[in-house]
Amino acid sequence: MQASSRAAETLFIAATLGLLVFGCHRGPADAEPPTGRVVLIGGRLAPASGVEDGEWRKVAKDDANTRFSGLATITPGNVATLRVAWTFKTGIARGHEAAPLVVGSTMYVVTPFPNRVHAFDLKAPNGTPKWTYEAHPEARAQGVACCDVVNRGAAYDDGRVFFNTLDDHTIALDAATGRELWNTKLGEVARGETMTMAPLVVKGRVLVGNSGGELGVRGWLTALDARTGEIAWRAYSTGPDADVLIGAAFKPYYAGDRGVDLGVHSWPPERWKIGGGTVWGFVSYDPELDLLYYGTANPGPWNNEQRVGDNKWTSGIFARRPADGSAVWFYQWSPHDLYDYDGVNESVLADADTPNGPRKLLFHADRNGYLYVLDRANGQVLSATQFGHVTTSRGVDLTTGRLNYVAEKQPHVGQTVHDICPGSPGAKDWQPMAFSPKTALLYIPHNNLCQDEEGMQANYIAGTPFVGEAIKMRPGPGGNRGVFSAWDPLGAREVWHIDEDLPVWSGALVTGSNLVFYGTMDGTFKAVDAKTGALLWHAELDSGVVGQPITYRGPDGKQYVAVFSGVGGWAGAVVPAKLDVTDPTAALGFVNAMRDLPQRTRAGGTLYVFTLP
């Protein structure tokens, strides 16, 4: 662990906005952060009163996407004695990216393809299985899944468990018995559509999105009736306003996002129909504003010369009403995306005190390398600060909201551009960060990757790759490929960071006792001090960790921590898919940066549950 030596370019406009910047006069990096001034919203968590239910009903713990638990029995003082309580092998050797759920005395997990759902009785010894549901998805879905056959988890609501299958079905199960209640098909594998995201349930709506932007799939977010599985609404990420559910309520903050049918006119003729913008990340919800927040993925194809224009509404973020899906505002992180900088990363919601009263904020660490703070009521960018190594842009213009691209780094057909940083997985890909109301810090698992890139013509054939770039990734400056950092979002600065040799592809978890948990791709699961980053405990697992850790209170009153091992995902596909390490372009160029991974871990799939003696 080392204190950061990076100079963060602070674009925070506190003087203009009157926003109180926490930490701007703070002392040493390990000084006590401010407390009591950042209040979580949404979900079942009420940190201001100290109430903690001990459950984990949603992949992110709450609607604000914090991945914070108030449980504090496991502390910095005793975490060194943490030990395995029980394990469960899934029998599937692919990337296990899901977060377990815990409701009452039952744990639920979803596996990668073939998307089995297991329920465990936590009152019985060693997590005795209660029931297993077999989804039986179409085998051919595996062949069109861009970046491993992962599943990122389920959702629980009102006695039901909801999850997605790789072949585009959303399914509701009776949580007590595993009986199928409904099964709704939402996409077409033949077009290259798959589904890997975890649902979110809001006000009786099950919110799900699709994957497949690398195959020219047109992105959407769909809301299903939680009782019946019927489609309530579908909002597309490209196309005419009627398809995108843009109407009179749509009032984006920036002028560049205003106009009629921009989802058509910001594309070459007819290109929006195969334009990507899929929705495979995490959804947040603010119950006070009654707004959903979610990101849209890259435009297709990657070859930007085939899609002149801003390519609305890809690589950005929507705010919508859950009742009817109507769009309220949109902001585009990367207009006319050049590098596969999907905008789907989670958005963390928090409130802050300012001299002018409370302000509702949204924190987002984007693939393009900037940590954004937005006013989530209207979509205004309050700050955008570099948190990784960036050569592709020179900051964000806070007047227009636009990313300032570096012209000489723009890819062209037949020309190789070197030192594109961050690479296509971004400074942070899907791996979700955590936020603590106690430290007022974000805990960010991310990447340190660059790439060389050459454009080529892409031809659209349904269900086949539609990319148009040859890429070779490599480690970024310093030679390490990953970083785990603590970030002060309102002070717009890094507090501490840990260099990791491999990309940190797991999610993060932070607890009320100021512990942070995350895993590494070579199979180490770690606990570090939330204030300093000091390593306090680690365990060696049977495969690399790309899952999302959780913590819960068991029926016996003890605190537990659970996480999947099972290397995979885009970063780790070289291992379970047995890709050729001599092919630098395999896995869309990721193999070139991960040639050594097969010697450092093996494929697997095990649920680990830890507790104190």
Side-chain angles (χ1 to χ4, degrees), residues 43-217:
R44 298 169 59 85
L45 187 63
S49 65
V51 175
E52 168 58 56
D53 60 22
E55 298 184 317
W56 199 281
R57 295 184 171 214
K58 305 175 183 184
V59 290
K61 173 64 170 173
D62 51 57
D63 289 340
N65 261 270
T66 67
R67 293 173 170 82
F68 169 83
S69 169
L71 294 179
T73 305
I74 302 171
T75 69
N78 62 27
V79 69
T81 65
L82 206 62
R83 59 173 178 79
V84 174
W86 56 275
T87 64
F88 173 79
K89 292 187 178 297
T90 66
I92 302 167
R94 298 305 295 255
H96 285 63
E97 291 186 350
L101 303 181
V102 174
V103 182
S105 61
T106 305
M107 177 185 287
Y108 305 92
V109 300
V110 185
T111 73
F113 185 94
N115 303 132
R116 297 188 184 102
V117 182
H118 298 282
F120 302 96
D121 184 355
L122 300 178
K123 292 183 293 186
N126 300 321
T128 301
K130 292 178 67 173
W131 52 258
T132 296
Y133 173 84
E134 296 279 358
H136 300 295
E138 292 185 63
R140 62 177 177 154
Q142 299 172 89
V144 299
C146 148
C147 311
D148 203 3
V149 295
V150 299
N151 184 289
R152 297 186 177 91
Y156 173 91
D157 186 74
D158 193 24
R160 298 176 175 91
V161 174
F162 306 91
F163 73 104
N164 296 320
T165 63
L166 193 66
D167 67 340
D168 307 308
H169 290 246
T170 300
I171 299 174
L173 305 177
D174 183 290
T177 66
R179 178 174 62 90
E180 183 180 296
L181 300 176
W182 52 257
N183 184 329
T184 303
K185 182 180 179 181
L186 295 173
E188 296 293 338
V189 170
R191 287 202 299 260
E193 270 183 301
T194 52
M195 291 174 66
T196 59
M197 73 169 288
L200 181 71
V201 184
V202 171
K203 300 177 73 172
R205 298 281 193 257
V206 184
L207 301 160
V208 295
N210 61 348
S211 303
E214 278 63 50
L215 291 85
V217 168

Side-chain angles (χ1 to χ4, degrees), residues 562-587:
V563 70
F564 265 126
S565 72
V567 76
W570 187 13
V574 61
V575 175
K578 300 180 180 179
L579 301 178
D580 183 359
V581 297
T582 66
D583 179 0
T585 64

